[in-house]
Amino acid sequence: VQVRPRRVTSSRIMSKKGGKDSGGGDGRFFSTTKKGETQELRAELAQADRSKKVDAVKKVIANMTVGKDVSMLFTDVVNCIQTDNIELKKLVYLYLINYAKTQADLVLLSVNTFVKDAADPNPLVRALAIRTMGCIRVERITEYLCDPLIGALRDDDPYVRKTAAMCVAKLYDIQPDLVVDRGFVDTLRDLVADPNPTVVANAVAALNEIAETSGDDAVIELSSSALQKLLAALNECTEWGQVSILDALAKYSPVDAKEATSIIERVSPRLQHANSAVVMSAVKVILKYVKFLAGSSSGSSSSRVASENPDDDEEDEAIANLRKKLAPPLVTLLNSDLEEITYVALRNINLVVQSEPRILEGDVKVFFCKYNDPIYVKLEKLEIMIRLVSERNVDQVLLEFKEYAQEVDVDFVRRSVRAIGRCAIKLEKAAQRCINVLLELIQTKINYVVQEAVIVTKDIFRRYPQRYEAIIGNLCENLESLDEPEAKASMIWIIGEYADQIENADELLETFLESFGDETSSVQLQLVTAAVKLFLKQPSSQRSHDMVQKALGLATDDATFTNPDLRDRGFVYWRLLSADPEAARAVVLADKPTIADDTDKIDPELLDELLGKIATLASVFHKPPEAFVARDAKGLGENEGEELYDDFDDAAETTTTTEPPPKDDERPGAAAAGARQQDPSSSKVEATATTAGGEIDLLDMTDLGGGGSALSPFGAAAAAAPEAPEDLMGLSDAFGGGGGPPPRGVGGLVVVPKRQKTVVCPPSAQSGGLGVSAAFDHPASSSASTPTLELDVLNRGPQPVRLLAIQFNKSPFGLAPKAAQLNFGPPIPPNGGSGSYSLPVVSNAAMITPAQNFDAAASSFTLQVAMKNPDTNNVFYFAVKVPFEILFSPDGAVERSSFIEAWKAIDDSLETYSTVADLPTGASIEAACAKLQARNVYHVARRSVPNAQGTEVVYFSIKTIPPHAHHFLLELTFKNGMPACKVCVKSTSQPFANLAKAAIEDILRSP
């Protein structure tokens, strides 16, 4: 993880010349207790004395730093920008960066100064002007930035060039198309060949940033000459410049093995660097090129090469030597005094070991836990030891695990005992030694140690059936110490599986059966299965006959136990035993598939991607960046770009009404958690269970409550108004009538782009190798009235996929699939095949959950989805974001009179406001209206605001899809010539008002 240098804050700028904080130092500006000094500051800023003016600006910056609003002094501070004093200029520029967003119009006043400073004879002033213009994230400034930036990129001074290089990356965040069109990316590539190493490093860093933002690694195209420049600069630039260069080298694909070897030789000295970020970046580069040389099948497609060296043994030895070079620096990182760096190193080593276990196969001892290691370090070391354990070192590792199992940290002890079991599953020849250690731990009689030992022993029996049954007696001696559900379930499984070898198996099961009603569902399920196994293995025993009847009776007694899984299993076993005992024997006593230790194992493709992200957060989280980093089209935060102006509306601002927090049973997931505790035989359940298509209940949702209705102001209002209502909103003169398309001049046809699918379920063992990418979208045809779920299914499993069963969890809008199955014709081929499916979605009243409080910035909500492959019985789950705008109904148009009456009927306190700035459509009201119309937001009227020249208001109606349709009244206020508008949403459906407002904002901001 790269620890960047500290930012230069205003307090540091001010302390450079101030000496001590007390007395005459600049710290005195932060200790003032005066109030109401705005007028005094304004007077001081206007003085001609330079020293007093500098002190006044420092006071302003001090107030800004501690959180006070000094934006009212913007014009006064900007007037100080015309100065030759570098200190004053820096302070004014700092103030501009902080307040430019909220004073976008006034920033334009300082543009001429920026341009003038960009041509100043002093390179520090030139660089300061370029840096400041890049930090002012206002699109209207960018057009003035381009010409000075072009000059700065070609400046004679390297300090200016390296500053300009980083400014290009900042400009790309604001206007990527402008950067490409003006040729800034090509200029950055030219700077890679700059004679100054710092300029080279900054140019590479900027290209890396642009590549990550755009998602196109082709942005960094390195020629042979540029490659040599990078390698030469690697020895001369700063450590953070080295990291940027190494990141670029990690994306480069060498031409041949000779070039790859040459790069490795030039990069290898970085393995001894003092900065851990440089070391990890060097490891990343060498790992990639070693895989290139070895022709590793797990490498990325760009680094696969077939070896043509005739002396294979010599090549293998060379590759082995390269791998050995990586071990010492990785081990050295573990000796850091900072525990956090140790943990980050361990997370990265975990990835390296999964890809290349031979690198550290002889260094397992360095991962032995120290007594004072924090728990998160110990657990990570434990994982790495399990991955490195082999028949040569298993005895050492087992001794360590045995020591860990006797520590005081209960969680660590449990993980250590499980680690012993995982070693047994991994190493067949060492399984007996692992079992001997487990038996020694069982003899300690420590409750939680014994229970974990029972759990892992069950897994060992699954891995090696009919081999280690001799230890069952030792396990049975500790039945009384079992009080955790997982341990009980494991012991019951062992008793049922080996009922023919345990003399008193019926007595042992009877002990558990006595407390059947008090056990958890997992224990109950195992008890029922174990009782059936006992009966099938001892059919002549009257006791086993009575026990299976008792167990099945308890499982199927609706009045006593309401777990649907338990009841269904009981009925299945009962009917099997009644109809065909031999069939029951074949089903219940069938051979179990052997298991393997795949705990925390990462998919090969994901592992390959994460190896390319070593030394970043992705390698710590073990997730791709898109799983935890969300960027919008411009790289801005969710709240950036809003509230640029708010003085053009004649209505008072009203804040969003805050609803009380939801009760426990109304929180997301609470209903799902309670589903298993309700009565599945009720009439309500029958209605709920039969969702669209009567699909399989994959989510156990048969008992979730639903309901909730929205108060509609329409209809009733119209019926109560036989005559035209009083025109309080000034709509009488507005052109346009009720629903339908807007009149001529209010926009034309707009094509709504398809939504991009995102990966919601990567291929995994649980999904049977299936990966799913999904996105909710608008209806596929204009005649359809409900949205669709667009699915791409990737099949990395061993067999074709014919169909998938699908079911949605309950949601605030009761969404349900129109079809319960996805039929793929032809079937999706195995081992990398893919298929697509467009699933119509309907709204089912029985699937509606109570409304919740949505985040003010959220324009979507999450829907939980379950899928099942009937051919493999794999059930897997994922979540998909549902954009609120796709729920807008095509029949949402209303008459003007109904709209006016509804607006009057809704209290003003139910209005929600926001401001959308920098509209892609500019100041065109017609274009903005057309975009809304294309998404079922229906125009009602348009009017000019009296006594506010150039201000116009447009009204729209919105209705969501039935059965519980929610109505929203929308008011957009535009000011002539400004590419922005104010949004006002008025509705009685307050839980969804924020969703509607955020959805309108997204539509207006969309291309």
Side-chain angles (χ1 to χ4, degrees):
V1 173
Q2 302 174 6
V3 182
R4 296 294 185 188
R6 296 180 299 170
R7 293 178 57 194
V8 179
T9 62
S10 57
S11 56
R12 285 197 200 109
I13 291 176
M14 294 169 60
S15 64
K16 287 183 179 179
K17 296 188 178 181
K20 295 181 180 180
D21 286 346
S22 60
D26 289 336
R28 69 183 190 276
F29 297 119
F30 293 90
S31 58
T32 179
T33 57
K34 294 175 63 177
K35 296 181 180 180
E37 56 181 345
T38 302
Q39 294 302 324
E40 181 181 336
L41 286 173
R42 182 171 281 121
E44 291 179 7
L45 289 169
Q47 291 195 18
D49 189 307
R50 178 179 295 181
S51 61
K52 291 184 178 180
K53 184 176 292 189
V54 170
D55 285 349
V57 176
K58 286 182 179 180
K59 291 178 183 178
V60 173
I61 297 297
N63 281 300
M64 182 184 76
T65 304
V66 299
K68 294 181 181 178
D69 183 13
V70 287
S71 58
M72 72 289 296
L73 298 172
F74 190 92
T75 305
D76 303 276
V77 175
V78 169
N79 289 336
C80 300
I81 203 171
Q82 297 286 354
T83 178
D84 295 331
N85 187 302
I86 296 293
E87 181 185 14
L88 179 58
K89 192 177 289 287
K90 285 183 178 180
L91 291 171
V92 174
Y93 279 172
L94 181 63
Y95 178 90
L96 280 175
I97 292 172
N98 191 67
Y99 283 113
K101 219 169 119 179
T102 57
Q103 305 284 346
D105 293 332
L106 295 177
V107 171
L108 295 175
L109 299 176
S110 58
V111 166
N112 290 335
T113 303
F114 288 135
V115 175
K116 178 181 175 183
D117 286 350
D120 194 274
N122 189 337
L124 293 178
V125 175
R126 298 200 300 271
L128 180 61
I130 293 297
R131 179 188 292 114
T132 305
M133 291 182 76
C135 292
I136 296 177
R137 304 174 65 83
V138 178
E139 289 192 11
R140 280 171 282 182
I141 293 290
T142 57
E143 58 184 285
Y144 302 100
L145 172 62
C146 292
D147 291 337
L149 183 57
I150 291 174
L153 289 169
R154 298 168 182 165
D155 198 280
D156 293 335
D157 192 284
Y159 181 75
V160 179
R161 294 200 302 274
K162 69 103 174 175
T163 303
M166 297 307 298
C167 187
V168 173
K170 296 175 182 177
L171 180 59
Y172 189 89
D173 264 350
I174 305 172
Q175 285 194 335
D177 294 337
L178 179 64
V179 171
V180 176
D181 295 341
R182 296 296 293 267
F184 287 123
V185 175
D186 294 331
T187 307
L188 283 180
R189 294 194 185 105
D190 295 338
L191 287 181
V192 173
D194 195 276
N196 187 286
T198 306
V199 176
V200 173
N202 277 28
V204 172
L207 288 171
N208 281 335
E209 183 72 21
I210 292 173
E212 290 180 8
T213 303
S214 64
D216 182 13
D217 286 340
V219 170
I220 308 178
E221 296 177 355
L222 298 179
S223 61
S224 298
S225 59
L227 177 65
Q228 296 305 316
K229 285 285 186 179
L230 286 184
L231 294 174
L234 194 60
N235 298 320
E236 302 178 33
C237 62
T238 65
E239 54 193 16
W240 300 113
Q242 294 178 40
V243 170
S244 299
I245 293 175
L246 290 170
D247 287 345
L249 291 175
K251 298 175 183 178
Y252 175 71
S253 297
V255 177
D256 51 29
K258 182 179 179 181
E259 185 180 54
T261 304
S262 173
I263 295 174
I264 291 176
E265 291 175 356
R266 302 283 292 274
V267 171
S268 294
R270 306 275 81 75
L271 294 174
Q272 280 79 44
H273 203 282
N275 189 313
S276 56
V278 177
V279 175
M280 292 309 303
S281 295
V283 169
K284 172 169 58 179
V285 174
I286 295 175
L287 265 180
K288 175 176 179 176
Y289 290 170
V290 165
K291 293 174 75 175
F292 179 90
L293 293 173
S296 174
S297 60
S298 64
S300 61
S301 61
S302 63
S303 59
R304 290 176 187 156
V305 64
S307 174
E308 299 177 357
N309 192 334
D311 190 353
D312 290 339
D313 293 337
E314 182 179 346
E315 182 184 6
D316 291 343
E317 183 179 354
I319 294 173
N321 290 333
L322 290 174
R323 290 194 179 101
K324 288 180 181 178
K325 287 184 178 181
L326 296 177
L330 291 175
V331 171
T332 303
L333 290 176
L334 300 180
N335 298 324
S336 172
D337 295 332
L338 296 175
E339 296 160 348
E340 291 79 6
I341 290 182
T342 301
Y343 175 74
V344 170
L346 287 169
R347 293 293 285 176
N348 282 269
I349 289 172
N350 197 330
L351 294 175
V352 174
V353 167
Q354 290 188 56
S355 175
E356 297 284 352
R358 289 169 290 183
I359 291 176
L360 292 166
E361 60 184 354
D363 297 296
V364 69
K365 283 186 177 181
V366 302
F367 298 102
F368 287 177
C369 300
K370 302 175 185 177
Y371 75 94
N372 58 346
D373 280 341
I375 183 63
Y376 54 86
V377 170
K378 288 182 177 180
L379 295 178
E380 200 61 35
K381 285 184 175 180
L382 210 61
E383 287 295 324
I384 295 175
M385 280 192 281
I386 295 172
R387 300 195 189 284
L388 293 177
V389 69
S390 62
E391 294 178 7
R392 288 177 295 179
N393 57 27
V394 66
D395 291 328
Q396 287 180 317
V397 173
L398 286 177
L399 281 175
E400 278 294 306
F401 287 167
K402 183 179 176 182
E403 289 292 326
Y404 302 158
Q406 300 174 32
E407 291 196 8
V408 295
D409 191 312
V410 176
D411 185 50
F412 184 54
V413 169
R414 291 178 183 275
R415 295 287 287 270
S416 302
V417 176
R418 295 211 177 195
I420 297 173
R422 291 171 62 183
C423 289
I425 293 172
K426 180 179 180 180
L427 303 173
E428 183 174 356
K429 294 183 179 179
Q432 184 61 57
R433 282 174 279 179
C434 296
I435 289 177
N436 293 338
V437 174
L438 288 174
L439 289 176
E440 293 179 24
L441 294 175
I442 291 174
Q443 296 304 318
T444 63
K445 302 297 182 181
I446 300 175
N447 181 273
Y448 50 85
V449 174
V450 172
Q451 300 197 81
E452 288 296 325
V454 170
I455 294 170
V456 300
T457 302
K458 182 259 296 182
D459 293 334
I460 294 174
F461 286 168
R462 287 285 308 275
R463 177 68 177 84
Y464 308 109
Q466 309 299 327
R467 286 175 61 176
Y468 300 108
E469 290 75 16
I471 68 171
I472 293 178
N474 301 78
L475 300 178
C476 293
E477 293 175 0
N478 296 275
L479 284 181
E480 294 182 359
S481 63
L482 305 181
D483 55 18
E484 296 179 2
E486 189 176 5
K488 286 184 179 181
S490 298
M491 191 68 223
I492 293 169
W493 182 89
I494 293 173
I495 295 172
E497 189 71 14
Y498 298 98
D500 52 343
Q501 301 179 31
I502 303 175
E503 294 182 1
N504 61 337
D506 50 357
E507 297 178 5
L508 298 177
L509 286 181
E510 185 70 35
T511 303
F512 289 105
L513 207 58
E514 290 174 356
S515 58
F516 187 89
D518 300 326
E519 303 293 353
T520 62
S521 59
S522 60
V523 176
Q524 291 175 343
L525 290 168
Q526 284 294 349
L527 268 173
V528 172
T529 302
V532 174
K533 288 180 179 178
L534 175 66
F535 173 73
L536 292 173
K537 293 184 177 183
Q538 299 179 11
S540 58
S541 170
Q542 182 61 38
R543 189 164 186 173
S544 66
H545 185 274
D546 295 340
M547 186 176 297
V548 74
Q549 281 195 329
K550 180 180 179 181
L552 294 178
L554 289 172
T556 56
D557 185 0
D558 288 345
T560 308
F561 304 108
T562 59
N563 187 323
D565 291 337
L566 178 66
R567 183 196 59 195
D568 292 348
R569 184 175 294 192
F571 279 129
V572 168
Y573 284 155
W574 207 315
R575 289 165 184 167
L576 270 175
L577 293 173
S578 302
D580 190 349
E582 289 303 318
R585 183 183 299 276
V587 171
V588 179
L589 301 182
D591 293 335
K592 279 67 175 182
T594 56
I595 63 173
D597 178 31
D598 57 356
T599 309
D600 297 331
K601 187 175 181 181
I602 299 177
D603 181 77
E605 284 193 0
L606 177 58
L607 177 61
D608 190 56
E609 179 183 354
L610 293 178
L611 287 173
K613 303 292 184 183
I614 281 180
T616 67
L617 279 177
S619 64
V620 179
F621 293 156
H622 288 187
K623 295 179 180 180
E626 56 269 17
F628 58 89
V629 175
R631 286 177 77 95
D632 62 14
K634 296 182 182 178
L636 301 176
E638 288 181 353
N639 297 323
E640 294 191 30
E642 293 185 1
E643 300 294 343
L644 290 189
Y645 69 101
D646 58 0
D647 59 345
F648 58 87
D649 197 306
D650 52 357
E653 292 235 358
T654 305
T655 57
T656 305
T657 303
T658 303
E659 294 290 333
K663 299 178 181 178
D664 290 342
D665 58 349
E666 294 176 345
R667 297 183 185 275
R676 292 176 169 81
Q677 306 302 324
Q678 298 181 19
D679 184 5
S681 61
S682 67
S683 59
K684 178 182 67 175
V685 170
E686 293 177 2
T688 306
T690 311
T691 56
E695 63 268 26
I696 305 169
D697 189 10
L698 305 179
L699 289 167
D700 292 336
M701 301 188 305
T702 50
D703 278 325
L704 293 176
S709 60
L711 174 62
S712 172
F714 301 102
E723 298 180 1
E726 182 184 358
D727 188 8
L728 299 180
M729 298 170 59
L731 301 180
S732 302
D733 300 327
F735 59 83
R744 189 176 303 275
V746 186
L749 294 177
V750 174
V751 178
V752 180
K754 300 294 288 183
R755 290 187 173 271
Q756 188 71 27
K757 301 184 187 72
T758 58
V759 177
V760 294
C761 179
S764 64
Q766 181 179 355
S767 64
L770 296 185
V772 179
S773 299
F776 276 93
D777 213 335
H778 294 273
S781 65
S782 59
S783 60
S785 60
T786 57
T788 60
L789 176 59
E790 303 296 331
L791 297 161
D792 287 342
V793 180
L794 175 64
N795 181 17
R796 296 196 180 280
Q799 65 185 65
V801 176
R802 300 180 300 106
L803 57 88
L804 293 172
I806 187 169
Q807 186 175 358
F808 296 169
N809 202 348
K810 292 195 171 186
S811 65
F813 287 88
L815 299 182
K818 195 170 184 178
Q821 293 181 343
L822 314 181
N823 293 290
F824 296 96
I828 302 176
N831 303 318
S834 61
S836 299
Y837 199 94
S838 182
L839 177 67
V841 176
V842 298
S843 181
N844 187 338
M847 298 291 288
I848 294 178
T849 57
Q852 64 189 63
N853 285 329
F854 297 95
D855 186 84
S859 61
S860 62
F861 60 91
T862 302
L863 178 67
Q864 297 173 337
V865 182
M867 276 190 175
K868 179 177 181 180
N869 187 343
D871 294 333
T872 62
N873 288 326
N874 287 98
V875 179
F876 53 100
Y877 308 88
F878 54 86
V880 187
K881 289 286 187 182
V882 183
F884 191 60
E885 67 169 86
I886 70 164
L887 302 180
F888 293 171
S889 175
D891 62 346
V894 298
E895 292 296 331
R896 185 178 59 184
S897 58
S898 298
F899 185 94
I900 297 173
E901 191 68 20
W903 186 280
K904 291 165 52 182
I906 301 175
D907 190 83
D908 289 346
S909 64
L910 300 180
E911 293 180 355
T912 305
Y913 286 96
S914 69
T915 301
V916 181
D918 296 326
L919 295 175
T921 52
S924 172
I925 300 177
E926 290 75 14
C929 294
K931 287 167 61 173
L932 294 170
Q933 183 78 26
R935 292 166 173 85
N936 295 334
V937 180
Y938 289 97
H939 172 264
V940 176
R942 172 176 171 179
R943 70 181 178 92
S944 298
V945 178
N947 301 321
Q949 186 176 3
T951 300
E952 292 190 76
V953 182
V954 190
Y955 297 93
F956 301 86
S957 66
I958 305 171
K959 174 186 174 184
T960 60
I961 59 176
H964 292 295
H966 300 275
H967 295 268
F968 303 93
L969 311 181
L970 173 63
E971 177 190 70
L972 299 183
T973 308
F974 296 87
K975 195 168 186 178
N976 186 28
M978 298 195 70
C981 74
K982 175 168 284 187
V983 179
C984 172
V985 174
K986 198 171 187 180
S987 175
T988 56
S989 302
Q990 274 305 292
F992 305 108
N994 280 330
L995 277 177
K997 175 177 67 67
I1000 295 301
E1001 294 171 5
D1002 284 354
I1003 295 173
L1004 292 172
R1005 291 193 180 103
S1006 64

